[in-house]
Amino acid sequence: MSDPANITLVTMDGTTFTVPSAYLHRSKLVQDWLRSEGDKQAMEVKHVTPFVLQGVLNFCEIHAEDTSEPLADPADPTKPFEADPRDDAFRGMPDDQLLQFTMAADILQIPELVRLTAQEMASRIDGKSPDQIRAMFNPDDLAEEDVDSDNEMGEVGEEGAISK
Amino acid sequence: MEPTKKFTPGYLTGASNEILFEIAKKLLAEDVLNFSYTNRLLHTVCSQDWVWKHLCFRDHGVNFIGPDTSWKRFYYSEDIKKVCRHLSAIDEKESLQSLQQYYSVALKCSIDECNTQKLWMCLAKGCSVVACGRSGDQNGHAEQHYEMDKEHGLVIQIRTLQIWCYTCDKWIGTPNSHPAEKAKVNAITRLICNTMNRPDLQSEVALNSRRQHERDLEEEITNDGKCVLISMIWMKEWCSFMTGNPLPGPVDNRSLLLANGSVNPDMSIPEDFVIISMNTWAYLEQYYGVDGRMLSEGALQILRYRCCVA
């Protein structure tokens, strides 16, 4: 069975997006869905807001013509990450929005976008203390819990400093 | 997305574990710790073995570990800098297949058809070149092979399954090596021994720790002033055992004696004999036995005089 020309995605609130199926060839979730049995009218993408899905589809459109080999493991150490100027939109994004894109990349299983967003998240966490990391995200959500960091420092030695 | 987890966009704890792993894997080790101290969920995620396994390989090039430790502990230990990280590229199953193929075909050094039995096989991925070593009557083709491509540093001795690393310039996975290195090498030799089902190979492998022990002993420097002479003829047999040949018989010094039983004064180091420590002698006496008698200091006095004159 050949792939349809277009694919329709439906977000959590019922907003629909119809895009050429070629855009989504790197999404494992979509590819699995295409190969599965049943109704192919529209694919539900729960847990993703229309704004974020729009952004993800923009990324897919920009990279639809990319000829690079599909990335099997987003953390493959033999394939170092190289910043692509076409993805600069992710660099200026607020922290909580970036997090939503990271999660959407994970839900749609697009390894290239997982690597890009996780890399950007990591570079923002880089060098921050636990308190600063908590402040980056929702402080209520990341309430300080009884992780005994002092105890653990003894376990791993002095090299792992808690703050810079 | 984990079904049990409540989804709230923009909340870090709403992200799947996979995503948190992906982020953690891209952080410096120090930042992984700070990330993990943010809250309990992140602490659980960041303490997972596979995050630290990833970091061990990314930062230290090591993807194997010993028993009784965690990847996190191993990451921060001094040992991780001491193990032969070249072993990370070795695939046990591939090594096994290459050796199995070898046993069914050639018995010669494939580089120049040297006629020696002391052969080594390159363990680099997809290589499995068989070549002779550099000791005794051999031509050192295995080392030449490494000099041509420095990625091909690990070689396995076919007869004994001992592993040598040209890059680290040492035997790998010996009794004195770090547990992680030993565990990796043991896994390779065990797989080969169990699958090939060759009793001769198994008994050779069983001798490997003895070989290493005796290599260490041979290098021991005499510091107590008490020295013993060993015939070079026997010494050569002993050395060839340490590099993979069969065990020699009892220590035999008769080549150093005249017909009347006294020490032959016309001898020199190292053509005819070498000097070992009392400690080494005691070991040899215990494990190999002695044919004849011990030649010690008194005999050496005469010879020292001869050496000076010469």
Side-chain angles (χ1 to χ4, degrees), chain B residues 4 15 18 29 76 78 83 99 109 120 127 155 161 169 173 212 219 234 247 268 279-281 291 307:
Chain B
T4 49
E18 283 73 24
Y76 283 105
E78 278 299 305
V83 300
L99 272 168
C109 168
W120 299 80
C127 181
V155 285
L161 305 184
D169 196 30
Q212 181 59 39
E219 284 172 16
W234 192 85
L247 279 164
S268 50
N279 188 19
T280 308
W281 174 263
D291 220 350
C307 291

Coordinates of all heavy atoms in Angstrom, one line a residue, chain B residues 4 15 18 29 76 78 83 99 109 120 127 155 161 169 173 212 219 234 247 268 279-281 291 307:
Chain B
T4 N 0.8 6.4 33.4 CA 0.5 6.8 34.8 C 0.8 8.3 35.1 O 0.3 8.8 36.0 CB 1.3 5.9 35.8 OG1 2.7 6.0 35.3 CG2 0.8 4.5 35.8
A15 N 7.3 15.4 31.4 CA 8.0 14.8 30.2 C 8.3 13.3 30.5 O 8.4 12.8 31.6 CB 9.4 15.5 30.0
E18 N 12.1 9.0 28.8 CA 13.0 8.9 27.6 C 13.5 10.3 27.3 O 14.7 10.5 27.0 CB 12.2 8.4 26.4 CG 12.0 6.9 26.3 CD 11.0 6.5 27.3 OE1 10.1 7.3 27.7 OE2 11.0 5.3 27.8
A29 N 28.9 15.7 33.1 CA 28.6 14.9 34.3 C 28.2 15.7 35.5 O 27.3 15.4 36.2 CB 29.8 14.0 34.6
Y76 N 33.4 8.1 38.2 CA 34.2 9.0 39.0 C 35.4 8.3 39.6 O 36.2 9.0 40.3 CB 33.3 9.6 40.2 CG 32.5 10.7 39.7 CD1 31.1 10.5 39.5 CD2 33.0 11.9 39.3 CE1 30.3 11.5 39.0 CE2 32.2 13.0 38.9 CZ 30.8 12.7 38.7 OH 30.1 13.7 38.2
E78 N 39.1 6.5 39.7 CA 40.4 6.6 39.0 C 40.6 5.5 38.0 O 41.3 5.6 37.0 CB 41.6 6.7 40.0 CG 41.8 8.0 40.7 CD 42.1 9.1 39.7 OE1 43.1 8.9 39.0 OE2 41.4 10.1 39.7
V83 N 42.0 1.6 32.7 CA 41.6 0.4 31.9 C 42.0 0.7 30.4 O 42.1 1.9 30.0 CB 40.2 0.0 32.0 CG1 39.8 -0.3 33.4 CG2 39.2 1.1 31.5
L99 N 37.9 -16.4 15.1 CA 38.8 -17.5 15.5 C 38.3 -18.8 15.0 O 39.1 -19.7 14.7 CB 38.8 -17.5 17.1 CG 39.9 -16.6 17.7 CD1 39.7 -16.5 19.2 CD2 41.3 -17.1 17.4
C109 N 51.2 -17.3 9.5 CA 51.1 -15.8 9.5 C 50.7 -15.4 8.1 O 51.3 -15.7 7.1 CB 52.5 -15.2 9.8 SG 52.7 -13.5 9.5
W120 N 49.1 -14.4 16.3 CA 48.1 -13.5 16.9 C 47.1 -13.1 15.8 O 47.3 -13.1 14.6 CB 48.9 -12.2 17.3 CG 50.0 -12.4 18.3 CD1 51.2 -12.9 18.0 CD2 49.9 -12.2 19.7 NE1 51.9 -13.0 19.2 CE2 51.1 -12.5 20.2 CE3 48.9 -11.7 20.5 CZ2 51.4 -12.4 21.6 CZ3 49.1 -11.6 21.8 CH2 50.4 -12.0 22.4
C127 N 38.5 -7.1 10.8 CA 39.9 -7.3 10.3 C 40.3 -8.7 10.4 O 40.4 -9.4 9.3 CB 40.8 -6.4 11.1 SG 42.5 -6.5 10.6
V155 N 45.4 -7.4 19.9 CA 45.6 -8.7 19.2 C 45.4 -9.8 20.3 O 45.6 -9.6 21.4 CB 47.0 -8.8 18.6 CG1 47.1 -8.0 17.4 CG2 48.1 -8.4 19.6
L161 N 44.8 -17.4 23.9 CA 43.8 -16.4 24.1 C 44.2 -15.3 25.0 O 43.4 -14.6 25.6 CB 42.5 -17.0 24.5 CG 41.9 -18.1 23.7 CD1 40.5 -18.6 24.3 CD2 41.7 -17.7 22.2
D169 N 50.6 -0.8 25.2 CA 51.9 -1.5 25.4 C 51.9 -2.4 26.6 O 52.8 -2.4 27.4 CB 53.0 -0.5 25.4 CG 54.4 -1.2 25.2 OD1 54.4 -2.2 24.5 OD2 55.4 -0.7 25.8
G173 N 43.8 -7.5 30.7 CA 42.9 -8.5 31.4 C 43.7 -9.5 32.2 O 43.3 -10.7 32.3
Q212 N 51.2 -14.7 33.5 CA 51.4 -13.3 33.8 C 52.2 -13.2 35.1 O 53.1 -12.4 35.3 CB 50.0 -12.7 34.0 CG 50.1 -11.2 34.4 CD 50.8 -10.4 33.4 OE1 50.7 -10.6 32.2 NE2 51.6 -9.4 33.9
E219 N 60.6 -9.9 35.7 CA 61.0 -8.5 35.7 C 61.5 -8.0 37.1 O 62.1 -7.0 37.2 CB 59.9 -7.6 35.2 CG 59.7 -7.7 33.8 CD 58.4 -7.0 33.3 OE1 57.9 -6.2 34.1 OE2 58.0 -7.3 32.2
W234 N 67.6 -23.1 29.6 CA 66.4 -23.2 30.3 C 65.6 -21.9 30.3 O 64.3 -21.9 30.1 CB 66.6 -23.7 31.7 CG 65.3 -24.2 32.3 CD1 64.7 -25.4 32.2 CD2 64.4 -23.4 33.1 NE1 63.5 -25.5 32.9 CE2 63.3 -24.2 33.4 CE3 64.4 -22.1 33.6 CZ2 62.2 -23.8 34.2 CZ3 63.3 -21.6 34.3 CH2 62.2 -22.5 34.6
L247 N 54.7 -25.7 28.9 CA 55.5 -25.6 30.1 C 56.9 -26.3 29.9 O 56.9 -27.4 29.4 CB 54.8 -26.2 31.3 CG 53.7 -25.4 32.0 CD1 52.9 -26.3 32.8 CD2 54.3 -24.4 32.9
S268 N 79.5 -16.3 29.8 CA 79.2 -14.9 30.0 C 77.7 -14.6 29.9 O 76.9 -15.4 29.5 CB 79.9 -14.1 28.8 OG 79.6 -14.8 27.6
N279 N 64.2 -15.0 45.4 CA 62.7 -15.1 45.4 C 62.2 -15.8 44.2 O 61.4 -16.8 44.3 CB 62.1 -13.7 45.5 CG 60.7 -13.7 45.7 OD1 60.1 -14.7 46.2 ND2 60.0 -12.6 45.4
T280 N 62.7 -15.4 43.0 CA 62.3 -16.1 41.8 C 62.8 -17.5 41.8 O 62.1 -18.4 41.4 CB 62.9 -15.3 40.6 OG1 62.6 -14.0 40.7 CG2 62.4 -15.9 39.3
W281 N 64.0 -17.7 42.3 CA 64.6 -19.1 42.4 C 63.6 -20.0 43.2 O 63.3 -21.1 42.8 CB 66.0 -19.1 42.9 CG 66.5 -20.5 43.1 CD1 66.5 -21.2 44.3 CD2 67.0 -21.4 42.1 NE1 67.0 -22.5 44.1 CE2 67.3 -22.6 42.8 CE3 67.3 -21.3 40.8 CZ2 67.8 -23.7 42.1 CZ3 67.8 -22.4 40.1 CH2 68.1 -23.6 40.8
D291 N 66.7 -29.8 38.4 CA 67.5 -30.9 38.0 C 69.0 -30.5 38.3 O 69.5 -29.7 37.6 CB 67.3 -31.2 36.5 CG 67.2 -32.6 36.2 OD1 67.6 -33.4 37.1 OD2 66.8 -33.0 35.1
C307 N 84.2 -11.6 33.8 CA 83.5 -10.6 33.0 C 84.4 -9.3 33.0 O 84.5 -8.7 31.9 CB 82.2 -10.2 33.7 SG 81.0 -11.5 33.6

